Amino acid sequence: MRRENVMASSSHPQVAELLAEARRAFREEFGVEPQLAVSAPGRVNLIGEHTDYNQGLVLPMALELVTVLVGSPRTDRLVSLLTTSEDADEPRRLQFPLPTAQRSLEPGTPRWANYIKGVIQHYPAAPLPGFNAVVVSSVPLGGGLSSSASLEVAMYTFLQQLCPGPQPPHYTPPCAADSGKIATRAQVCQQAEHSFAGVPCGIMDQLIALMGQKGHALLIDCRSLETTLVPLLDPRLAVLITNSNVRHALGSSEYPLRRRQCEEVAHALGKESLREVQLEELDAGKELVSKEGFRRARHVVGEIRRTAQAADALNRGDYRAFGRLMVESHHSLRDDFEVSCPELDQLVEAALSVPGVYGSRMTGGGFGGCTVTLLEAATASRTMQHIQEQYSGTATFYLSQAADGAMVLPL
């Protein structure tokens, strides 16, 4: 993984460096070596935006940006946490008792710990022991690369080591036999985000953090939870993530609103979700929904179709077709779903003007965060330089290969 500011390229911390940092922080905080270590990646969604909570298709890949969590059990039913992230809200360390049948955990401050509390509260196996843990992450907070799911899945994977219960205690690469169990883990992490962070997210972020596989994107059907690996192995190809480093406050209020608008249109058309709606049906039912609702639904229905086409294009190595679909996706997110912003539009336009770029689009919830660009690896430096020259703000760049999902790390 390389994080680059254009003129000087600096390598991004690898898992081994993050693990060393976590162990050092654990020793300083608790005076002993940790007994357990796990990691879980961030993700970028190549295409399929705002489709997951509409039971549609998404095509994310796991990143080489990861959250590492180290820890050890303790005997007094207390949980003691520390994060080294400078972007996390204060306090960076806290202690609380495990939930009991009479007293559940409650969300509160610091906000970063709510994701951990939610996973503990909803974890299905028992009895959980208390534990000490340190969190170190290279996934940027608030950048749209799913630092939250990375933390949730790292926590879940850690709890599996402490208290395996009826599920397999070790990460296994995704396979048909285990996908049901993986889906259950993802749903626990999703529930944690719903109830403890107040974000009504779909299940994509948790699934890709669990099921990512090196050299592959993952086509996820958010209705059936079926997954299909899509090869992304071509060494001539690169995926560039550009962080706009802006985060518009609008995002937190607009996300639940968009979700509600989608549900209202599906209901008006007599469908369970927009996944069941074809573009022709939407056009025919135009009078039944508001003008704004129609545009929101047109994005989702079109995006589900684009995502299926994009997976096919990647399977046959047709990067130009994939790139065209990315651009269509961005325009739809900008014009119909209205979740882009001037900074994201500027980054996309700048990328598309460089020869060797196949496609570019905003990625994540919108209103700031990141763009994702598919390009020839040989043009990456030139593209980053051109984007930075054209962009009114300061961009941060990440070049990533498709990486593995959550795993237990040897100590």
Side-chain angles (χ1 to χ4, degrees), residues 26-303:
F26 192 92
R27 280 196 304 272
E28 285 173 14
E29 186 72 7
F30 301 109
V32 291
E33 282 283 348
Q35 294 172 25
L36 303 166
V38 299
S39 69
R43 64 95 188 96
V44 68
N45 193 22
L46 298 172
I47 193 165
E49 216 63 72
H50 289 276
T51 52
D52 60 344
Y53 55 80
N54 289 294
Q55 298 193 6
L57 303 174
V58 291
L59 187 64
M61 72 177 211
L63 295 172
E64 293 160 307
L65 296 166
V66 296
T67 297
V68 169
L69 192 149
V70 300
S72 298
R74 50 191 287 168
T75 55
D76 59 2
R77 292 190 53 78
L78 287 177
V79 174
S80 192
L81 300 175
L82 167 71
T83 178
T84 65
S85 172
E86 290 174 11
D87 295 327
D89 58 321
E90 297 279 0
R92 306 255 164 84
R93 49 168 60 79
L94 76 158
Q95 193 173 76
F96 54 87
L98 286 167
T100 63
Q102 293 75 36
R103 191 191 64 245
S104 298
L105 291 178
E106 297 288 338
T109 52
R111 289 185 304 278
W112 64 268
N114 289 336
Y115 302 101
I116 290 175
K117 287 179 181 174
V119 174
I120 294 170
Q121 182 64 48
H122 294 292
Y123 187 70
L128 267 181
F131 60 88
N132 297 325
V134 168
V135 179
V136 175
S137 187
S138 58
V139 189
L141 297 189
L145 301 180
S146 204
S147 55
S148 55
S150 174
L151 178 55
E152 290 152 9
V153 169
M155 189 71 237
Y156 193 103
T157 308
F158 176 74
L159 295 183
Q160 284 183 290
Q161 305 309 297
L162 282 181
C163 177
Q167 41 215 325
H170 295 292
Y171 167 80
T172 48
C175 60
D178 198 34
S179 62
K181 294 181 187 127
I182 288 182
T184 306
R185 295 177 217 171
Q187 284 163 333
V188 169
C189 295
Q190 180 193 27
Q191 185 60 38
E193 190 145 344
H194 286 193
S195 56
F196 276 69
V199 179
C201 61
I203 201 161
M204 165 179 68
D205 298 349
Q206 292 80 10
L207 270 178
I208 184 63
L210 283 159
M211 296 187 71
Q213 198 152 307
K214 194 171 181 171
H216 294 80
L218 190 70
L219 180 66
I220 302 172
D221 182 327
C222 297
R223 180 169 59 186
S224 67
L225 300 186
E226 281 178 56
T227 58
T228 310
L229 289 167
V230 182
L232 198 55
L233 291 157
D234 191 330
R236 297 165 303 174
L237 204 61
V239 174
L240 173 66
I241 297 145
T242 306
N243 193 342
S244 67
N245 289 307
V246 298
R247 170 59 53 199
H248 295 287
L250 207 58
S252 55
S253 58
E254 292 288 326
Y255 183 95
L257 174 62
R258 291 296 182 284
R259 183 165 184 158
R260 197 164 64 245
Q261 288 170 326
C262 292
E263 287 164 355
E264 284 167 0
V265 174
H267 184 71
L269 297 175
K271 306 285 188 181
E272 192 182 321
S273 72
L274 289 178
R275 173 66 181 278
E276 297 169 22
V277 178
Q278 299 301 315
L279 280 171
E280 299 73 24
E281 292 174 286
L282 182 60
D283 283 331
K286 203 170 183 176
E287 303 306 314
L288 300 172
V289 300
S290 67
K291 281 193 174 71
E292 193 172 72
F294 174 79
R295 290 201 310 276
R296 303 294 187 252
R298 182 168 60 186
H299 162 71
V300 172
V301 175
E303 186 80 345

